Amino acid sequence: MLRILLLATATFIALPAHAEEKPPSPVTSDTPADAPDPDAQDHDQPNQEIVVTGTRARATADVLGGTAILAAEELTREMRPTIGETLAKQPGVSATSFGPNASRPVLRGFTGDRARLLIDGIGSIDVSNTSADHAAIINPLTADRIEVLRGPSALLFSPSSIGGVVNVIDSRIPRRMPESPFHADGIATYGSASDERSASGAVDVPVAGKLVVHADGSYTKTGDMRGGGYVLTPALRAQAAASADPAIQELADLEGEVPNTAARTWDIAGGAAIVDDRGSLGFSVSRYDSLYGVPIRYSLDPAVDAEAVRLHAKQTRLDVRGDILTETAGIHQIRMRLAAADYQHSEIEDTGEVGTTFYSQGFEGRLELVQETHGEWEGVTGGQFSTRNTRIVGEEKFLPRTESNQFGLFTLQSLDFGALKAEAALRYEHNSLRAQADQDIGNPLYDRSFDSLSASLGASYALADHLRLGINVSRSERAPTQEELFANGPHAGTQAFEIGNPDFTTERAWGVEGTLKGSGDGWSLSAAAYYNWFSDYIYDAPTGAIEDDLPVFQYNQADARYYGFEVEGSARLAQLGNFAINSDALADYVHADIVDQGPVPRIPPLRVMGGLEAQSDALTGRVEIEHSFEQDRVTDFETPTSGFTLVNASVSWKPFGAGSHTSLMLSANNIFDVEARRHTSVLKDYAPLAGRDLRATLRVQL
């Protein structure tokens, strides 16, 4: 597979080098006049009013669908070891919170295949979507910015991302020539809740005129995370205290550190690109290695031993990216993106023996043809393909050996009449999944294929200067995943017996979303409300049965309804000398039901958040309060989750002035050390969120 990718790279390099960088987006009433180049490196990144994922750099007000961007100082403040926890404070975003080391984003109540994770437009090529305990191979320490995108633009990347897509943008393949002969970035963090120590560094060096060489590396080490309050919920503690077994009784008093949550992760990469004022072509090679524990699902039955499982994940990955300006009539630019990865992780039992090992090899590529702009009309058309081979070896292989192949064609077309903007997207996708015969877990040979067609149509209208009202209607189809079809066995990582259904049909959904976005001198507003109708919705839920001493989780298919909203805004309250006093607020909510059955499992409750910030060129102070309400809309065999309130504060200082990219940030999170649990977590009853966490982060740029 890697030989194929190298051959494709060599062929692309042999093409005439008359490429051109993407033109800057046109200046409109909703686009800042000084909008920077979307291909800039970290020290010159677009600000948080500009979205770069998709066809071109656009103002957030021009994107149909709720968006969120994490960059610059906010990214530094929110950065955590996992992508899920890093994004957890964004509007419409929660996290799976399978302990501090395996946490994926939950977008509007969706995760897995309905909320795709991308690295510069290409999937993470791991097995994180197959199970909550599998960490996504995405290192936030190497991110320049992270974007959450919804609406028609999401169809460029997946037909099933009804919750949205998360695109992590890094600089491992250089996009431009550094302004100096040597450019370096470094970040170091200490967090007290888990004795977290992390450091990351990156270097870009121009060589031989048009060649830029890049290298980066990072290392993170943590101890067991200290939660706020007790490890078990009050209901489980009461059961443990009532047990006749002294060992079970001791669990009732377990508090503070959450056992088996320590981790060690390192990541290294090298790359190079040919860059001039007409385009770029480059590659990178990276190696990721992480050894981490997952919280223990304690058994209150003396006859059943709870397992303390650790996972050792490794990935070697090759990435290629290029763009060329063509002279062909009607086509302005060709963009290419390729990636291949070899992944494996071992699930290590508390005896030190390897119980089960996952192997996965994947190859993914996409080609985009960017149309020339004709008056008000612009667009992009392209194709995408991927192939995955997954094999599980060991006593707890809950999936047979599978091969999946996907091919998709997509187009996104936009019209801009000034006050009125319209956008339409269409995507066709063919998926084939093949499961080899494996009598050990009861699966015969299956060979399934699915064809899906998804479309989205939307428009926005300027109600006034810098204020736009939008609406988007979508029809999406999603093929079942391999675990939804073929799972049938015990899984130590999730400590569940998982059962799929090979006869599942394609999942279909209609959706409508309304948005209101605006910004001006000292204020900003972004609001979205949505409703989704699902036919043959696929979900997993506990059945109440026990198999191999594990609770059984069964995948089912039924109709479902989702609706909700997210809103965020900010306002300048006063100007006190050099300090601007700003306030901001956020609220989000999801309501989800299986028709004629009841609530969808693990849906986040209503959440509100407010912040007050004093900001100057060199010094910024912030205090914020987040309240998550009780979630008592639960399905059978699911427990309710109590509400909680977190208070956080931070101070950021640029010691060398506003023009410097060196900063020191001190923050205190969950200041009052409250016990908090996310309803989206499968292990919420056994593992709270982090307690009081004092953090120091130093960021240096040369």
Side-chain angles (χ1 to χ4, degrees), residues 79 117 145 166 219 242 329 359 401 482-483 557 592 613 627 638 670 675:
M79 191 174 294
L117 302 183
R145 60 193 274 119
V166 173
Y219 182 81
Y359 299 91
R401 183 168 185 167
Q482 59 184 16
E483 63 274 8
Q557 196 163 42
E613 192 168 284
H627 180 73
E638 183 184 23
N670 192 1
E675 183 179 320

Side-chain angles (χ1 to χ4, degrees), residues 458-469:
S460 68
Y461 185 77
L463 301 176
D465 286 346
H466 311 296
L467 185 65
R468 303 190 71 87
L469 179 67

Side-chain angles (χ1 to χ4, degrees), residues 605-608 627-632 641-644:
L606 172 65
R607 176 182 63 165
V608 295
H627 180 73
S628 183
F629 287 80
E630 178 187 11
Q631 179 58 287
D632 56 5
T641 304
S642 299
F644 58 85

Side-chain angles (χ1 to χ4, degrees), residues 238-257:
Q239 293 181 42
S243 174
D245 189 296
I248 301 298
Q249 293 176 4
E250 291 178 0
L251 297 179
D253 299 321
L254 191 63
E255 64 178 320
E257 288 189 354

Side-chain angles (χ1 to χ4, degrees), residues 41-128:
Q41 298 295 93
D42 178 51
H43 59 286
D44 195 23
Q45 276 289 308
N47 60 40
Q48 286 163 282
E49 298 299 322
I50 301 294
V51 177
V52 301
T53 300
T55 57
R56 58 184 172 88
R58 292 180 290 171
T60 54
D62 292 338
V63 179
L64 287 166
T67 60
I69 302 171
L70 201 58
E73 186 175 301
E74 187 181 0
L75 176 58
T76 301
R77 183 176 65 240
E78 303 300 340
M79 191 174 294
R80 298 294 186 272
T82 66
I83 185 66
E85 297 305 315
T86 299
L87 288 173
K89 292 182 183 178
Q90 300 307 298
V93 182
S94 186
T96 56
S97 299
F98 203 94
N101 307 305
S103 186
R104 284 175 59 99
V106 177
L107 308 182
R108 295 181 173 177
F110 300 109
T111 189
D113 202 41
R114 301 187 189 95
R116 195 166 186 219
L117 302 183
L118 308 172
I119 301 174
D120 200 12
I122 290 287
S124 54
I125 314 182
D126 50 33
V127 296
S128 62

Side-chain angles (χ1 to χ4, degrees), residues 40 53 139 146 246 250 453 468 658-659 667 671:
T53 300
N139 187 354
I146 305 172
E250 291 178 0
L453 185 66
R468 303 190 71 87
S667 63
I671 293 174

Side-chain angles (χ1 to χ4, degrees), residues 297 496-500 539-547 550-556 597 601-602 635-638:
R297 185 194 293 268
F497 194 99
E498 302 177 15
I499 302 176
Y539 66 101
D540 71 311
T543 66
I546 300 295
E547 187 79 22
L550 296 171
V552 174
F553 280 72
Q554 171 77 56
Y555 284 98
N556 305 286
Q597 295 186 39
R602 298 181 298 280
T635 187
D636 293 339
F637 309 108
E638 183 184 23

Side-chain angles (χ1 to χ4, degrees), residues 2 5-6 8-9 13 118-125 137 142 167-168 170-175 216 267-273 281-287 315-322 336-342 362-366:
L2 291 178
L5 184 53
L6 291 171
T9 305
I13 292 174
L118 308 172
I119 301 174
D120 200 12
I122 290 287
S124 54
I125 314 182
I137 309 302
T142 65
N167 195 18
V168 179
D170 60 32
S171 301
R172 283 183 160 170
I173 303 176
R175 291 178 169 87
D216 70 67
D267 189 17
I268 190 169
L281 174 65
F283 76 96
S284 71
V285 178
S286 60
R287 175 69 173 178
Q315 185 192 66
T316 301
R317 177 174 170 131
L318 173 64
D319 286 271
V320 178
R321 185 186 63 234
M336 177 269 293
R337 188 75 169 85
L338 300 170
D342 187 354
F363 184 32
E364 185 170 336
R366 57 187 292 118

